[in-house]
Amino acid sequence: MNTIMYLLILLLSVAALIFFNVKLKVNSFIALFATAAVLSVLFGASPAEALNAVNTAFGETIGSIGMVVILGAVLAMGVQDSGAATSITNFFIRLFKGKRLELAPALTAFIMSISVFGDVTQLLTSPIAARIGKRRHISMSVITPYTIVGVWLTHGVVPPSAGILAVCIILGADVGMAIFWSLIVCFATLILTYTLTIPIMKKTEFIKAKPEFTTGVEQAPEHASISELMIQEDHPLSPLSAFLPLIVPALLITAGSLGNMLFPNHSQLIGFTSFIGDKTIAMLIGIIILLLTCTKRKEQLIKGARESDSPIGENPTLLELGFGNWIERGIKVASLVIMITAMGGAFSTILKSHPAVNEIADTVVSSGIPMLLIPFSISAVMRAACGSMATATMTAAGICAPIMDAMGLSPLAVALTIGMGSLLFGHVNDSGMWMCCEMFNLKPEQYLKYVTSITTLAGIIGFILLFILNCIGLL
């Protein structure tokens, strides 16, 4: 098979994936499976060999991300039950002295999505955004876009989120370094996006918060005190207790990567940092920390478990709530995410298996375009085409992996650029859009006008920052 035929088959496979997703409404798991299997046959494998190749790559990806994603979902259940999101929001209200409160749910979402799924973060932050909007008379057209930028930045660009974690593994990027640099770039992106756009956004139409979330909440006086603005809750978690379970896993994974760089092989120190920096161990430590900080909030945890219709005993222990109830609910939440991400890994493996990729690499390098634009553009186009951030990033990783060396880019730079590209062009084919409209009280046309435009701008700003870091040799 020559290069032209390979490219034609590649384009047809991407078109088929989009057709299955968008037109036929087929779940991404089956769409990726069918596309990967047919692609392998077109590359010369027998049907049996194609199925074996897909199964092998699928299993390898699950082995790499499965435990981390499950434990991330378990942590999300604990965050939901414990009230950590409310404590984090109150911390930002105090930090900003009651001003610029549209940033409070945005920064809450930014921190939570480091270890919690993006959709779950939307669910947890939408009532907070609604109550702050009502208290401070802030339009949801202002507060929603920044909250979603906060969600998508860490969900799409910062491991251990499932999609970008798998991309790092496929490309061979160091996960700890990916966390370190992505947090810096994403935080700068959020602040720059807010600073550049808030004067314009404050002039947009006024959209009320979702009434169900603001029952009993009254608009605060113009000169209300900080304590009057804060979200009230019985026996709230301290900010430190709320932050630690979300931040510690990322810090441990980063420490593990730094240990591999700084300490000599076979030393006791590198053995220790490698253990605590293991992705599974780091996430497990985060769950244990959250459970230990909730010793005085047992009734709140029981209430959350009962509201989720989970079977628990009459007087459950903390251990039952954390490693019984949270685990059971987390596995249910994580299962589909794992399946789709792992099948995306299989699709990527098949894409890069053909020898024609070497010729494509030579052509790309000789084209003269900035190399970092290639992964960014592929990810952005796929996001627009199929809606799913995970599918967009996995497809882009599969296309870029074989030509990465020829492009002269580091795996880290390519991985983060792919993640940033997935922020662009979210619209009606993204299930997250409809969740956002429902939870933040927006109409579809308002989402496209305010959220899509701001998240796309954020993706472009983030790409520029990554491009600068790459040019000066830091990525």
Side-chain angles (χ1 to χ4, degrees):
M1 180 186 297
N2 59 31
T3 304
I4 295 177
M5 184 60 68
Y6 173 86
L7 287 173
L8 179 61
I9 291 174
L10 174 61
L11 290 173
L12 287 174
S13 67
V14 172
L17 183 60
I18 294 169
F19 179 75
F20 281 133
N21 261 178
V22 178
K23 187 68 175 177
L24 300 183
K25 307 298 182 184
V26 173
N27 184 273
S28 294
F29 174 80
I30 292 298
L32 286 164
F33 169 72
T35 306
V38 172
L39 192 63
S40 186
V41 171
L42 292 175
F43 284 172
S46 67
E49 291 171 337
L51 288 175
N52 182 61
V54 172
N55 287 336
T56 300
F58 176 76
E60 289 174 351
T61 308
I62 281 187
S64 300
I65 69 165
M67 281 295 293
V68 180
V69 176
I70 288 174
L71 293 177
V74 173
L75 186 59
M77 298 304 103
V79 168
Q80 181 173 315
D81 291 355
S82 67
T86 300
S87 297
I88 293 171
T89 301
N90 284 340
F91 168 81
F92 286 121
I93 290 175
R94 286 192 294 268
L95 181 67
F96 293 123
K97 302 185 185 305
K99 301 174 182 178
R100 299 186 180 276
L101 289 189
E102 55 273 354
L103 271 178
L107 289 168
T108 302
F110 181 89
I111 291 170
M112 288 182 61
S113 282
I114 294 172
S115 302
V116 175
F117 294 150
D119 285 352
V120 175
T121 302
Q122 281 199 58
L123 292 173
L124 295 176
T125 53
S126 54
I128 295 168
R131 297 180 73 176
I132 287 177
K134 180 70 177 289
R135 290 289 283 165
R136 261 302 185 211
H137 196 65
I138 303 173
S139 171
M140 297 310 289
S141 66
V142 176
I143 208 166
T144 304
Y146 301 118
T147 304
I148 301 304
V149 168
V151 172
W152 285 2
L153 277 170
T154 42
H155 174 71
V157 190
V158 182
S161 291
I164 190 64
L165 175 63
V167 168
C168 288
I169 291 168
I170 290 169
L171 299 178
D174 185 288
V175 175
M177 288 295 97
I179 292 173
F180 177 78
W181 283 112
S182 62
L183 282 174
I184 293 173
V185 172
C186 288
F187 182 75
T189 298
L190 175 59
I191 298 304
L192 283 172
T193 302
Y194 172 81
T195 303
L196 292 172
T197 60
I198 190 62
I200 299 172
M201 296 302 293
K202 284 187 173 180
K203 299 176 182 178
T204 58
E205 63 184 300
F206 187 85
I207 301 172
K208 292 182 179 180
K210 191 176 177 68
E212 292 88 336
F213 292 152
T214 56
T215 301
V217 177
E218 299 296 332
Q219 182 176 332
E222 185 176 349
H223 301 292
S225 66
I226 295 174
S227 59
E228 290 175 318
L229 291 172
M230 292 208 307
I231 300 170
Q232 302 302 316
E233 192 175 68
D234 294 333
H235 309 294
L237 281 175
S238 69
L240 180 62
S241 298
F243 278 114
L244 277 179
L246 301 173
I247 299 298
V248 165
L251 292 177
L252 290 176
I253 295 170
T254 303
S257 295
L258 290 174
N260 291 333
M261 294 169 57
L262 299 175
F263 303 132
N265 291 333
H266 309 299
S267 72
Q268 291 183 342
L269 282 175
I270 199 171
F272 175 72
T273 56
S274 295
F275 176 76
I276 64 168
D278 179 84
K279 297 182 288 295
T280 300
I281 297 298
M283 295 299 295
L284 187 60
I285 290 173
I287 295 169
I288 293 172
I289 290 172
L290 179 60
L291 197 59
L292 291 175
T293 59
C294 290
T295 52
K296 295 182 179 180
R297 291 179 61 79
K298 185 178 174 182
E299 292 302 319
Q300 177 76 13
L301 300 187
I302 293 173
K303 179 182 177 183
R306 298 201 192 285
E307 288 177 350
S308 67
D309 295 325
S310 299
I312 56 173
E314 285 295 321
N315 187 27
T317 63
L318 278 176
L319 198 63
E320 178 185 347
L321 290 167
F323 289 97
N325 176 258
W326 292 355
I327 292 284
E328 182 179 334
R329 288 158 58 194
I331 289 173
K332 290 178 182 178
V333 170
S335 57
L336 184 59
V337 176
I338 293 173
M339 294 298 104
I340 292 174
T341 305
M343 193 54 71
F347 176 68
S348 299
T349 300
I350 299 301
L351 274 179
K352 63 185 180 183
S353 66
H354 198 276
V357 295
N358 295 322
E359 297 177 31
I360 296 172
D362 294 336
T363 303
V364 168
V365 170
S366 62
S367 66
I369 66 172
M371 293 294 104
L372 213 58
L373 270 175
I374 295 171
F376 180 74
S377 300
I378 294 172
S379 181
V381 169
M382 286 304 302
R383 175 69 198 283
C386 63
S388 166
M389 294 178 78
T391 302
T393 53
M394 299 299 287
T395 305
I399 294 172
C400 292
I403 62 173
M404 193 167 55
D405 290 340
M407 288 191 293
L409 298 171
S410 69
L412 178 60
V414 175
L416 298 187
T417 304
I418 285 173
M420 199 63 73
S422 70
L423 267 73
L424 275 67
F425 310 138
H427 59 95
V428 295
N429 62 354
D430 176 16
S431 60
M433 167 184 162
W434 301 104
M435 177 186 289
C436 178
C437 288
E438 174 63 26
M439 302 304 293
F440 289 85
N441 208 34
L442 299 183
K443 297 176 182 177
E445 59 270 25
Q446 293 169 332
Y447 180 98
L448 296 172
K449 185 176 181 180
Y450 304 122
V451 179
T452 300
S453 61
I454 296 297
T455 53
T456 297
L457 176 63
I460 294 170
I461 291 172
F463 171 75
I464 293 171
L465 295 177
L466 289 171
F467 186 83
I468 291 171
L469 290 174
N470 184 65
C471 287
I472 62 179
L474 292 177
L475 290 181

